[in-house]
Amino acid sequence: MNNDMMEKEEIFSKVLRAGRRTYFFDVRATKADDYYLTITESKKFTNDDGSFHYKKHKIYIYKEDFSEFKDILSEMTDYIINEKGDEVISERHQKDFKKEYDDDTSKVTEPELKTPESFTDIDFDDI
């Protein structure tokens, strides 16, 4: 029985490693021996002691939804590329950019440089 389960786990798999995230694409079998797709995002977190833990999120995509899923995914990715190009616009780069030109541009005011991270220390008990 275990051998059957092992084989079913590995019908067809691909892995996409993307920095701290890894995406697993797996073809799996239903009880009726039809196939469906799971996409698992695994994100690596570093614990304070230097060890790691992973958070995983999984979505299931079934045959009857493939066509629409592909269409919407294509539409969304095309929209992003058309609107913003395919170069990554990084908040990190923007901050560095602003800091570099701080002296030249007296118009850049302090609140504009604040990022949402700056506000995460608010103690809601005080509000």
Side-chain angles (χ1 to χ4, degrees), residues 52-100:
F52 303 111
H53 72 278
Y54 296 88
K55 284 191 181 160
K56 292 186 175 184
H57 297 101
K58 184 176 286 196
I59 60 169
Y60 296 78
I61 305 153
Y62 297 96
K63 277 159 99 177
E64 60 266 29
D65 304 318
F66 283 175
S67 178
E68 263 190 291
F69 187 91
K70 280 167 63 175
D71 289 349
I72 291 172
L73 184 62
S74 289
E75 186 183 342
M76 290 296 172
T77 53
D78 289 349
Y79 177 84
I80 291 170
I81 300 299
N82 289 337
E83 291 290 314
K84 296 292 179 182
D86 55 7
E87 289 216 10
V88 174
I89 301 168
S90 166
E91 192 185 303
R92 208 173 284 124
H93 291 137
Q94 288 179 328
K95 269 188 255 172
D96 294 344
F97 184 82
K98 281 181 184 168
K99 278 180 192 146
E100 273 177 45

Side-chain angles (χ1 to χ4, degrees), residues 32-63:
D33 207 33
D34 201 357
Y35 289 169
Y36 65 97
L37 172 66
T38 64
I39 301 174
T40 309
E41 178 205 42
S42 177
K43 191 175 177 188
K44 184 179 188 179
F45 291 89
T46 307
N47 302 321
D48 292 338
D49 64 1
S51 62
F52 303 111
H53 72 278
Y54 296 88
K55 284 191 181 160
K56 292 186 175 184
H57 297 101
K58 184 176 286 196
I59 60 169
Y60 296 78
I61 305 153
Y62 297 96
K63 277 159 99 177

Side-chain angles (χ1 to χ4, degrees), residues 101-115:
Y101 292 94
D102 241 354
D103 306 330
D104 308 328
T105 55
S106 52
K107 286 176 190 168
V108 175
T109 56
E110 185 58 31
E112 281 180 279
L113 293 174
K114 282 201 173 128
T115 60

Side-chain angles (χ1 to χ4, degrees), residues 19 26 32 52 119:
D26 295 293
F52 303 111
F119 301 110

